[in-house]
Amino acid sequence: MANKNDWNEWKGLTEAEAAERRLRYGANALPVPKHRLLRLIARQFRGIFNLMLLIAAGVTFSLGEPIDGAFILLFVLLGTALNVYQEHKSNQAADKLKAYLLSTITVMREGQEKEVPTDSLVPGDILKLESGDIVPADAVVRKDRDLLVDETTFTGESIPVAKRSDGTPDEGALLQGVVIVRGNALAEVTAIGQETQFARIAKTASSVQAESELVKSVDKISNFIMKVTLLTLGFVVLANILIEGRQVDVTGLLIFAIALAVSAIPEALPLVLTFSLSRGALEFAKRDVIVKRLSAVQDLGSVNLLCTDKTGTITENHLVFTNAFKLPESPYDPLVLARLAAINLQERIPEPFDRASDEALSAEQRQSVEQFRLLQEEAFDPALRSNGAIVKRTDGTTWHIRRGSPEYFFGEGLVSRAAVEDWLQAEEEKGHRVLGVSCDDGTGQRFGGFVSFVDRIKDSTIATVAAAKQLNVAITVITGDALKVAEAVGREAGLVTGSAEVAEAAAFLALPPAERKKQLASIRVFARTTPEQKLEVIQQLKEQFTVGYLGEGINDAPALKAAHVSMVVQSAADVARETADIVLLQNDLRVIVDGIRFGRETHANTMKYIRATLISNFGNFYAVAIGSLFISFLPMLPKQLLLLNLLSDFPMMAIAFDRVPAREVERPQRYDLHALYIIFVTMGLVSTVFDFICFGLFYRISPAVLQTNWFIASVLTEILLMLSIRSLAPITKAGWPAPSIVILSVIAMALAIGLPMIPATAAFFEFQTPTMAHLGIILGIAFAYLVVSEIVKRPLSGFVRRK
């Protein structure tokens, strides 16, 4: 076994050497993508909507209609500019927030341990690695203690691999990105930045971002819209050619068909989606939460089960020593032994047990501790649930201290459960956490006793649990603590009302599958959970719930990957932080509960736009398309169709910032496309009927009168529909929309009425100034449409709730 001097011989670089090499080799980071703004702009044209609009503009220009082509391009450029601006702002905000997530590592500099940013590492630096670290650069092991690493990133093998300083080159090599599973090591950096194996792979591999249910659903809706639009337009063009024969104006008909297709496409949908998600991310940022995957904002809204450890989230994560127990024949002080297991306290951030042990020492006990110096620390072993230290006393004796869960000492046969059962049970029923200690001072390993600590629940915990219940979100604690301790904390927090709601993970997982499924929904606390069991529990829960998981340790990484939405605190192990979708800069469970509400608001607002745009666009689309078959002129000119689309879309885009009533976020919302299509067909039919009423009233007067009046009526009815369908509740009970929606709606309606009355714009768009009588009829149609929409909407809202 290596001694302290073996490790101290590695002094590391001097600060001057590190500075010189930093200038020579640069930063330990992957290259920042160049021309990011240009790439962002280019990405906007990968979507099916923008591509179709560009094709439509190109065809329109080629048919000799530059004004109509320019209008279509205006739509593309306007939507793209807004989208690029929003995403660019999000990227800039993310760059600033990355400073909060500055990754650091311990290195040896001039013989002293120093915490430095990983991007400042240079070749030759000596890394001090321990369990939970992600190796920040390619390195070679120089000294090791029971070192195991996870090389899954490179090999795909999940079995940990042993690394040795005295083995073959492969046995001593550590690649950037591998995870330290167990043990400690000193490793010398051999390559950084673009020279690492990880960087070489990154150059040839494309990163794949997980798609949320929202994105998948939007893709399905997009494909549906494209198919319906193209089939309908093909039929309309063919029917017009057959009806009019040789007299048909093919060029004008094609331009009309293109404009009609543009009017049916909800080209603002990607923008609304971006606005909605960014709004949620901004709300998170205000609460010191970093969203690494933007779609996780919406995914969080679908969570109906939030799993978390209790320490630091339910409780304060500040342990206070409460009691000690030792056998009558034991010569050791349990609190002193517990403190000696963390003797190097001043050189690192202390663990809660370490800090509590130190704070509880009396003056006499502190004098006893000061008689020892550290020779070697032994990393925490998750399988054994214990850690240790080798210390040397001033009298020359060497002590081997071991500290861990009571089960470890029972398993090692150091103490019988019967001898300590009464004391242990009394402490655990109070919710106290108990550690056992043992000591080998050269006479053999002997049990040293128990020490107990209390971790009080946070002041905000009870209110947070109540807020989660209002959102119909269950909270389940998954902890390694003893059953009685976990139950006591669960009862105090308001999560548990009976013992049947608490289970040891091993006992639960040993049940037959049918019994597990039966009990799963009622269990609020899983106790004595090992890392492997934690993953298995999460996978079981996913069968019945949409699971959000808040973790922090290296052993949480598999469970974080398994959960639908993964969250960690800033102090989490590197591997856990890299895995997570969301990072909390403050360990506060209330933030996550609020985030679930934000996610549901995001979902609700996105669905408002989808409902409104599908109903209004396709109601008008079918009416205009079919109406063209019964008259010898176009029912609405291409430029008028494009203007209609522009005026109706701007108020709809503001729906991303709409208010959402509390009742609409009480339960997780799903993307039920079947229910969406029922609403779309039913309400779209109402829209089409009123369009035909308008068509029937004005088509005999003149082409210009029909085109102008139908344009005004379409803008007014689409905006009124949006105000109605923004909630499935009656409009009188839906609450006021956001101010931006009201303002943009008023502006759009004023422009719809005003543009045909201004000579210059009327001439440009080929409008005819409407008479006051016609305006009165149009307003009457719009009001009647709102009333009928409200009537039809009521049974549909009941259908959606049942679904």
mmCIF file of all heavy atoms in Angstrom, residues 384-406:
data_model
loop_
_atom_site.group_PDB
_atom_site.id
_atom_site.type_symbol
_atom_site.label_atom_id
_atom_site.label_comp_id
_atom_site.label_asym_id
_atom_site.label_seq_id
_atom_site.Cartn_x
_atom_site.Cartn_y
_atom_site.Cartn_z
ATOM 1 N N LEU A 384 -19.997 -1.174 -0.143
ATOM 2 C CA LEU A 384 -19.836 -1.454 1.287
ATOM 3 C C LEU A 384 -20.494 -0.392 2.159
ATOM 4 O O LEU A 384 -20.622 -0.577 3.372
ATOM 5 C CB LEU A 384 -18.349 -1.553 1.637
ATOM 6 C CG LEU A 384 -17.562 -2.682 0.945
ATOM 7 C CD1 LEU A 384 -16.092 -2.602 1.334
ATOM 8 C CD2 LEU A 384 -18.133 -4.045 1.321
ATOM 9 N N ARG A 385 -20.845 0.752 1.534
ATOM 10 C CA ARG A 385 -21.461 1.878 2.256
ATOM 11 C C ARG A 385 -20.574 2.331 3.413
ATOM 12 O O ARG A 385 -21.033 2.511 4.542
ATOM 13 C CB ARG A 385 -22.862 1.510 2.750
ATOM 14 C CG ARG A 385 -23.812 1.082 1.659
ATOM 15 C CD ARG A 385 -25.180 0.723 2.221
ATOM 16 N NE ARG A 385 -25.826 1.902 2.779
ATOM 17 C CZ ARG A 385 -26.509 2.792 2.064
ATOM 18 N NH1 ARG A 385 -26.626 2.637 0.762
ATOM 19 N NH2 ARG A 385 -27.067 3.828 2.640
ATOM 20 N N SER A 386 -19.298 2.495 3.118
ATOM 21 C CA SER A 386 -18.361 2.917 4.161
ATOM 22 C C SER A 386 -17.148 3.578 3.528
ATOM 23 O O SER A 386 -16.888 3.440 2.330
ATOM 24 C CB SER A 386 -17.916 1.720 5.007
ATOM 25 O OG SER A 386 -17.154 0.814 4.220
ATOM 26 N N ASN A 387 -16.413 4.331 4.357
ATOM 27 C CA ASN A 387 -15.134 4.888 3.937
ATOM 28 C C ASN A 387 -14.164 4.750 5.103
ATOM 29 O O ASN A 387 -14.543 4.282 6.191
ATOM 30 C CB ASN A 387 -15.275 6.358 3.517
ATOM 31 C CG ASN A 387 -15.490 7.271 4.711
ATOM 32 O OD1 ASN A 387 -16.407 7.056 5.498
ATOM 33 N ND2 ASN A 387 -14.631 8.272 4.863
ATOM 34 N N GLY A 388 -12.928 5.129 4.895
ATOM 35 C CA GLY A 388 -11.959 4.945 5.972
ATOM 36 C C GLY A 388 -10.779 5.876 5.873
ATOM 37 O O GLY A 388 -10.661 6.685 4.953
ATOM 38 N N ALA A 389 -9.890 5.765 6.866
ATOM 39 C CA ALA A 389 -8.667 6.558 6.898
ATOM 40 C C ALA A 389 -7.628 5.803 7.714
ATOM 41 O O ALA A 389 -7.961 5.075 8.668
ATOM 42 C CB ALA A 389 -8.931 7.931 7.500
ATOM 43 N N ILE A 390 -6.381 5.980 7.317
ATOM 44 C CA ILE A 390 -5.257 5.444 8.083
ATOM 45 C C ILE A 390 -4.535 6.627 8.696
ATOM 46 O O ILE A 390 -4.115 7.551 7.980
ATOM 47 C CB ILE A 390 -4.307 4.621 7.194
ATOM 48 C CG1 ILE A 390 -5.064 3.438 6.585
ATOM 49 C CG2 ILE A 390 -3.108 4.130 7.994
ATOM 50 C CD1 ILE A 390 -4.256 2.644 5.588
ATOM 51 N N VAL A 391 -4.441 6.635 10.029
ATOM 52 C CA VAL A 391 -3.851 7.765 10.741
ATOM 53 C C VAL A 391 -2.735 7.268 11.660
ATOM 54 O O VAL A 391 -2.701 6.101 12.057
ATOM 55 C CB VAL A 391 -4.927 8.515 11.562
ATOM 56 C CG1 VAL A 391 -5.968 9.136 10.654
ATOM 57 C CG2 VAL A 391 -5.598 7.588 12.578
ATOM 58 N N LYS A 392 -1.825 8.179 11.975
ATOM 59 C CA LYS A 392 -0.699 7.833 12.851
ATOM 60 C C LYS A 392 -0.729 8.702 14.081
ATOM 61 O O LYS A 392 -0.850 9.929 13.997
ATOM 62 C CB LYS A 392 0.629 8.015 12.112
ATOM 63 C CG LYS A 392 1.820 7.430 12.861
ATOM 64 C CD LYS A 392 3.053 7.394 11.972
ATOM 65 C CE LYS A 392 4.188 6.676 12.678
ATOM 66 N NZ LYS A 392 5.390 6.596 11.807
ATOM 67 N N ARG A 393 -0.613 8.038 15.253
ATOM 68 C CA ARG A 393 -0.652 8.748 16.530
ATOM 69 C C ARG A 393 0.738 9.207 16.905
ATOM 70 O O ARG A 393 1.747 8.692 16.410
ATOM 71 C CB ARG A 393 -1.224 7.820 17.603
ATOM 72 C CG ARG A 393 -1.744 8.517 18.838
ATOM 73 C CD ARG A 393 -2.395 7.534 19.772
ATOM 74 N NE ARG A 393 -2.940 8.201 20.937
ATOM 75 C CZ ARG A 393 -3.535 7.589 21.946
ATOM 76 N NH1 ARG A 393 -3.660 6.257 21.923
ATOM 77 N NH2 ARG A 393 -4.011 8.263 22.971
ATOM 78 N N THR A 394 0.793 10.182 17.769
ATOM 79 C CA THR A 394 2.093 10.719 18.194
ATOM 80 C C THR A 394 2.948 9.676 18.905
ATOM 81 O O THR A 394 4.178 9.799 18.971
ATOM 82 C CB THR A 394 1.888 11.931 19.120
ATOM 83 O OG1 THR A 394 0.987 11.574 20.171
ATOM 84 C CG2 THR A 394 1.328 13.121 18.354
ATOM 85 N N ASP A 395 2.307 8.629 19.436
ATOM 86 C CA ASP A 395 3.089 7.566 20.086
ATOM 87 C C ASP A 395 3.639 6.559 19.091
ATOM 88 O O ASP A 395 4.246 5.556 19.469
ATOM 89 C CB ASP A 395 2.242 6.858 21.152
ATOM 90 C CG ASP A 395 1.018 6.154 20.559
ATOM 91 O OD1 ASP A 395 0.886 6.129 19.324
ATOM 92 O OD2 ASP A 395 0.196 5.628 21.340
ATOM 93 N N GLY A 396 3.396 6.793 17.787
ATOM 94 C CA GLY A 396 3.949 5.935 16.744
ATOM 95 C C GLY A 396 3.030 4.839 16.274
ATOM 96 O O GLY A 396 3.320 4.168 15.278
ATOM 97 N N THR A 397 1.890 4.642 16.913
ATOM 98 C CA THR A 397 0.963 3.589 16.481
ATOM 99 C C THR A 397 0.125 4.073 15.291
ATOM 100 O O THR A 397 -0.186 5.255 15.175
ATOM 101 C CB THR A 397 0.011 3.187 17.632
ATOM 102 O OG1 THR A 397 -0.721 4.339 18.066
ATOM 103 C CG2 THR A 397 0.806 2.614 18.798
ATOM 104 N N THR A 398 -0.185 3.133 14.443
ATOM 105 C CA THR A 398 -1.006 3.427 13.260
ATOM 106 C C THR A 398 -2.397 2.842 13.465
ATOM 107 O O THR A 398 -2.537 1.664 13.822
ATOM 108 C CB THR A 398 -0.368 2.835 11.995
ATOM 109 O OG1 THR A 398 0.928 3.418 11.804
ATOM 110 C CG2 THR A 398 -1.222 3.127 10.772
ATOM 111 N N TRP A 399 -3.398 3.663 13.264
ATOM 112 C CA TRP A 399 -4.785 3.238 13.419
ATOM 113 C C TRP A 399 -5.470 3.216 12.058
ATOM 114 O O TRP A 399 -5.278 4.116 11.235
ATOM 115 C CB TRP A 399 -5.560 4.191 14.335
ATOM 116 C CG TRP A 399 -5.161 4.148 15.785
ATOM 117 C CD1 TRP A 399 -4.004 3.641 16.321
ATOM 118 C CD2 TRP A 399 -5.937 4.637 16.878
ATOM 119 N NE1 TRP A 399 -3.995 3.778 17.676
ATOM 120 C CE2 TRP A 399 -5.178 4.391 18.058
ATOM 121 C CE3 TRP A 399 -7.168 5.252 17.001
ATOM 122 C CZ2 TRP A 399 -5.620 4.744 19.325
ATOM 123 C CZ3 TRP A 399 -7.632 5.604 18.245
ATOM 124 C CH2 TRP A 399 -6.863 5.346 19.417
ATOM 125 N N HIS A 400 -6.261 2.175 11.841
ATOM 126 C CA HIS A 400 -7.083 2.094 10.636
ATOM 127 C C HIS A 400 -8.531 2.307 11.058
ATOM 128 O O HIS A 400 -9.128 1.450 11.717
ATOM 129 C CB HIS A 400 -6.912 0.737 9.955
ATOM 130 C CG HIS A 400 -7.647 0.624 8.648
ATOM 131 N ND1 HIS A 400 -7.733 -0.551 7.937
ATOM 132 C CD2 HIS A 400 -8.318 1.547 7.912
ATOM 133 C CE1 HIS A 400 -8.437 -0.357 6.839
ATOM 134 N NE2 HIS A 400 -8.801 0.908 6.803
ATOM 135 N N ILE A 401 -9.097 3.459 10.689
ATOM 136 C CA ILE A 401 -10.464 3.823 11.073
ATOM 137 C C ILE A 401 -11.407 3.469 9.924
ATOM 138 O O ILE A 401 -11.105 3.705 8.764
ATOM 139 C CB ILE A 401 -10.580 5.333 11.369
ATOM 140 C CG1 ILE A 401 -9.445 5.808 12.281
ATOM 141 C CG2 ILE A 401 -11.951 5.664 11.956
ATOM 142 C CD1 ILE A 401 -9.488 5.258 13.663
ATOM 143 N N ARG A 402 -12.556 2.917 10.284
ATOM 144 C CA ARG A 402 -13.587 2.650 9.278
ATOM 145 C C ARG A 402 -14.890 3.262 9.770
ATOM 146 O O ARG A 402 -15.255 3.142 10.947
ATOM 147 C CB ARG A 402 -13.750 1.146 9.083
ATOM 148 C CG ARG A 402 -14.397 0.758 7.759
ATOM 149 C CD ARG A 402 -13.471 0.947 6.587
ATOM 150 N NE ARG A 402 -14.168 0.846 5.310
ATOM 151 C CZ ARG A 402 -13.635 1.175 4.157
ATOM 152 N NH1 ARG A 402 -12.398 1.632 4.109
ATOM 153 N NH2 ARG A 402 -14.317 1.071 3.033
ATOM 154 N N ARG A 403 -15.612 3.920 8.867
ATOM 155 C CA ARG A 403 -16.861 4.590 9.214
ATOM 156 C C ARG A 403 -17.899 4.275 8.150
ATOM 157 O O ARG A 403 -17.612 4.362 6.953
ATOM 158 C CB ARG A 403 -16.635 6.105 9.290
ATOM 159 C CG ARG A 403 -17.859 6.901 9.681
ATOM 160 C CD ARG A 403 -17.556 8.399 9.697
ATOM 161 N NE ARG A 403 -17.368 8.930 8.354
ATOM 162 C CZ ARG A 403 -17.153 10.221 8.083
ATOM 163 N NH1 ARG A 403 -17.061 11.086 9.076
ATOM 164 N NH2 ARG A 403 -16.997 10.626 6.839
ATOM 165 N N GLY A 404 -19.126 3.906 8.571
ATOM 166 C CA GLY A 404 -20.132 3.564 7.572
ATOM 167 C C GLY A 404 -21.477 3.282 8.189
ATOM 168 O O GLY A 404 -21.741 3.573 9.360
ATOM 169 N N SER A 405 -22.353 2.684 7.386
ATOM 170 C CA SER A 405 -23.716 2.396 7.836
ATOM 171 C C SER A 405 -23.688 1.261 8.852
ATOM 172 O O SER A 405 -22.775 0.433 8.859
ATOM 173 C CB SER A 405 -24.584 2.007 6.647
ATOM 174 O OG SER A 405 -24.174 0.750 6.148
ATOM 175 N N PRO A 406 -24.689 1.170 9.721
ATOM 176 C CA PRO A 406 -24.730 0.065 10.687
ATOM 177 C C PRO A 406 -24.656 -1.303 10.018
ATOM 178 O O PRO A 406 -24.024 -2.225 10.550
ATOM 179 C CB PRO A 406 -26.076 0.274 11.389
ATOM 180 C CG PRO A 406 -26.315 1.750 11.313
ATOM 181 C CD PRO A 406 -25.783 2.147 9.978
#
